[in-house]
Each structure stands twice: as C-alpha cells, then as structure tokens.
Amino acid sequence: MIIGLTGGIGSGKSSAANFFSALNVLVLEADELAKEAISKGTNGLIQVVDYFGESILNEYGEIDRDLMRERIFSDHTMKSKLESIIHPLVGNKILEKMAESTALYTIVEVPLIFETNSMKNYDRILVIDCHQSLQLERSTRRDKNSQELIQKIIDSQCTREERLSIANDVIANNGSLEELESKIKETHYFYSELIKHD
Ligand code: ADP
C-alpha cells in the first residue's frame, strides 16, 4: 500500500513523516526522489539534456536548477516535458525501494498532489491539515522568512478545501507535537489493520 502524505507549507508533513519513520513504515520524499532521478550519471539526466540542451547544465555537469525553474516557469510545454521525464522515473524508484524493504506499507511525502493532479499514484491520500495562521507562524519560524513570502507561497498552493477534497484520511495538526505523534500512531494502527484485512 502506498500512501501519499501531503499538506500545505508548514502544516507538519515532515514532522508527520518523521513520526511514521519511527514505526515500521518505509518513508520516502518525492522531491528527493525527483532530484535523484535526474542527478549526474543517470539516464534521466541524459533525457533532460537531450530535450533542453547542454546549456541547462552548470559547471559541474549537473542541472542548473535556477535556470531550469526559469525555463519551465513561463513555458507549459517544457514543464510538461520535464514532468513526463521525471514522473515515471520517480514511480520506478518508489517500486524499487518498496521491493528492497520489509516495511508493512509506504508513505511518500509529496508537497503538491492536488496541484499536480497526481492522486492516482497513491492508494490513499493522507492530508496533514492545520489553520492557516499556524502554517504562517510555524513556517516563518522554521525558515526565518518574512510572513509576506510565506503568505505568497501559501497563496500559490491549492486551498485547504481543495486539498481536503482529495483526502482519504486527515490529521489535524493544530495542537502540540505530542498530539501529532499520537495521531500518527493511531493512523498507523488503522493502516496496519487495513492491510491485515485486505
Ligand atoms: P512541512 O513539512 O509541512 O512544511 P514541518 O513538519 O516542517 O512542515 O513543520 C513546520 C515547522 O513547524 C517545523 O519547525 C516543525 O517542527 C513545527 N511544527 C510542526 N508541527 C508542530 C506542532 N504540532 N507544534 C509545534 N510545532 C510544530
């Protein structure tokens, strides 16, 4: 079973993922897998260079992320092309890591599931939800960024309602970290029971 764990910036995804890691669960980060998929020496990188040209590489032969962001920002075709290279590679990596693991199920932390319409990649979607004021407060403290910048990022993401509309399971993270941990344990028990009765 693959669970997509998502939530807005500062909602508590990474904290939730860490609590799952402490249980018998394989926890993966979609962003990390995407970076690995097109890192130096990979077939993914060759595909990216074939399409975008050598100029997309920096002096170390790696993808120049700022330049890539700039290129795809205003060009939808390029963005889709990049996604069409990365997504299957990430999917394969998830399957590879699952095959190597003895964990009962897999959690993939994905910041943007609704926004990328990638619900179909997961058996269930778990949303970590909290009030926007907490998102703002926690992210500002964590990233030492201005409230304005964090608010801009929140506004660029889907709304809480949109995210909740794709959820199979929701964990409200409006209390303490201890409360979050105990909700993760309850959810883990629920998933373990689901697998047992599958
Ligand atoms: P995300 O991965 O969704 O961006 P994080 O898990 O990094 O969010 O949480 C954002 C910040 O808020 C982190 O510094 C984290 O330690 C803190 N945090 C998360 N949940 C709580 C909570 N329930 N109480 C207090 N701090 C929290």
Side-chain angles (χ1 to χ4, degrees):
M1 184 164 78
I2 309 183
I3 317 276
L5 183 156
T6 194
I9 181 170
S11 58
K13 291 181 297 295
S14 307
S15 311
N18 286 341
F19 289 132
F20 274 112
S21 295
L23 305 162
N24 184 24
V25 180
L26 174 65
V27 178
L28 304 171
E29 273 181 64
D31 286 352
E32 276 307 308
L33 297 179
K35 269 190 211 157
E36 268 180 40
I38 53 171
S39 61
K40 209 171 168 178
T42 60
N43 180 267
L45 182 66
I46 294 173
Q47 293 182 55
V48 171
V49 172
D50 271 351
Y51 184 77
F52 289 89
E54 298 262 347
S55 63
I56 203 70
L57 299 176
N58 64 20
E59 56 189 300
Y60 308 108
E62 296 158 345
I63 288 172
D64 182 330
R65 300 205 157 258
D66 291 339
L67 186 60
M68 178 63 94
R69 213 170 292 125
E70 231 171 76
R71 289 254 199 117
I72 63 175
F73 183 72
S74 50
D75 190 326
H76 193 75
T77 313
M78 280 195 179
K79 186 165 182 272
S80 312
K81 179 65 192 179
L82 182 66
E83 283 168 359
S84 74
I85 295 172
I86 292 178
H87 286 170
L89 295 171
V90 169
N92 287 342
K93 277 193 176 286
I94 292 175
L95 295 179
E96 265 171 38
K97 292 189 191 264
M98 283 174 75
E100 288 164 6
S101 162
T102 56
L104 210 49
Y105 63 93
T106 303
I107 296 262
V108 186
E109 185 187 337
V110 204
L112 310 175
I113 292 189
F114 182 90
E115 292 88 338
T116 55
N117 197 22
S118 55
M119 289 78 86
K120 62 180 183 318
N121 297 344
Y122 307 97
D123 298 310
R124 297 183 80 83
I125 309 280
L126 168 60
V127 169
I128 309 297
D129 179 62
C130 75
H131 300 309
Q132 216 191 79
S133 53
L134 282 174
Q135 257 184 290
L136 203 55
E137 184 191 311
R138 290 172 183 163
S139 308
T140 310
R141 199 174 338 119
R142 181 194 58 191
D143 302 340
K144 304 197 172 45
N145 271 326
S146 67
Q147 293 226 353
E148 288 71 31
L149 178 63
I150 302 292
Q151 186 64 51
K152 263 195 194 156
I153 297 175
I154 292 176
D155 293 342
S156 75
Q157 298 184 336
C158 69
T159 64
R160 269 176 88 185
E161 290 68 29
E162 283 171 330
R163 198 176 292 109
L164 290 170
S165 75
I166 59 162
N168 298 98
D169 312 300
V170 179
I171 292 182
N173 183 23
N174 297 306
S176 65
L177 275 171
E178 289 71 27
E179 279 173 56
L180 177 64
E181 183 175 20
S182 86
K183 286 182 182 176
I184 298 293
K185 284 184 177 157
E186 274 170 31
T187 307
H188 173 63
Y189 178 74
F190 170 65
Y191 289 152
S192 307
E193 287 295 300
L194 272 186
I195 291 165
K196 237 190 258 168
H197 298 110
D198 197 19

